[in-house]
Amino acid sequence: MSVVTVRRIMPAEMDEASRIVGLAFALNPSNLAIAGGNRDKAARIMEHAARTLKLGNTASHVLVAEREGELAGVLKAAEWPHCQMTVREKIKSVPSQVRTMGFGLPRALKVVGGRARHEPHKPHWHIGPIAVHPHQQGYGIGSALLTAFLADVDRQQVPAFLQADVDRNVVLYERFGFRVVSQEAILGINTSFMWRDAR
């Protein structure tokens, strides 16, 4: 098995990292619901969101994983209270979101609003997205990203929070000490909200 190296993202890697997020989430159930079932549109929506709202946000802490000299995975996290967009940031993002999502925007707002209701109102790191390029899955890249980031979180003795709408991801996160603290069906997709106590 090839060695996986995890490190902070470099500015020049933002486009490639965003592309990986889009590809990794093209079949994600919530993204497909937003995109009306169109896989290509789901990938474009997530890539755009990664570039403009997630990875490019100044409050974001972004790690990348390399395997065999190529970017293979991305993990983004933000520390509370910077986990959710401010009203000003939301308003500023509307024009580009309309261009990217079109008629999917109302569905996207339902997802964002539904998830925001579960955000804990106390110090924590909010992790997500965690994305692995489809051709690089199965090599432990997601686990390597989580291991590296959670080691930092544990040094800070801060809790962590994330959400998952894929059952196998819930199982993976449970192995890292997360537990489901609430669930909600958003756009008909069961979403689990998971908490990991400070170590």
Side-chain angles (χ1 to χ4, degrees):
M1 185 175 287
S2 303
V3 174
V4 177
T5 304
V6 176
R7 57 174 173 75
R8 291 291 295 266
I9 193 170
M10 294 185 287
E13 297 170 323
M14 193 65 68
D15 285 347
E16 179 61 13
S18 298
R19 190 179 75 85
I20 289 171
V21 173
L23 291 171
F25 280 82
L27 292 177
N28 173 272
S30 294
N31 290 344
L32 281 173
I34 291 169
N38 183 317
R39 176 183 178 171
D40 292 337
K41 186 174 182 180
R44 285 195 309 273
I45 287 171
M46 196 60 186
E47 179 177 349
H48 177 77
R51 183 180 292 110
T52 60
L53 305 176
K54 298 178 184 297
L55 308 186
N57 188 310
T58 56
S60 295
H61 178 95
V62 183
L63 298 179
V64 293
E66 280 186 312
R67 178 177 169 270
E68 297 182 344
E70 294 183 6
L71 282 192
V74 185
L75 179 149
K76 176 258 179 183
E79 194 169 12
W80 184 85
H82 307 291
C83 312
Q84 300 295 326
M85 293 171 65
T86 65
V87 172
R88 183 177 178 180
E89 288 170 334
K90 289 177 183 176
I91 292 170
K92 187 177 176 182
S93 74
V94 167
S96 67
Q97 299 306 320
V98 168
R99 285 193 300 274
T100 305
M101 297 185 196
F103 293 115
L105 184 58
R107 293 189 293 271
L109 293 174
K110 283 185 180 178
V111 171
V112 171
R115 291 177 174 180
R117 286 193 297 273
H118 293 267
E119 186 76 40
H121 296 287
K122 57 186 176 181
H124 68 279
W125 277 97
H126 184 136
I127 303 173
I130 303 169
V132 177
H133 192 293
H135 296 153
Q136 298 278 6
Q137 292 177 4
Y139 294 99
I141 292 163
S143 293
L145 284 163
L146 267 172
T147 297
F149 184 71
L150 291 174
D152 281 343
V153 169
D154 289 345
R155 279 190 285 274
Q156 298 170 30
Q157 298 182 335
V158 177
F161 174 79
L162 51 74
Q163 65 236 354
D165 56 8
V166 177
D167 289 344
R168 70 176 179 276
N169 291 343
V170 172
V171 173
L172 170 67
Y173 301 145
E174 285 175 337
R175 290 204 306 262
F176 282 87
F178 287 88
R179 58 189 168 79
V180 175
V181 291
S182 62
Q183 292 182 311
E184 182 178 346
I186 305 173
L187 295 184
I189 310 298
N190 185 50
T191 304
S192 295
F193 299 89
M194 306 185 72
W195 179 261
R196 181 181 185 268
D197 290 324
R199 303 292 172 94

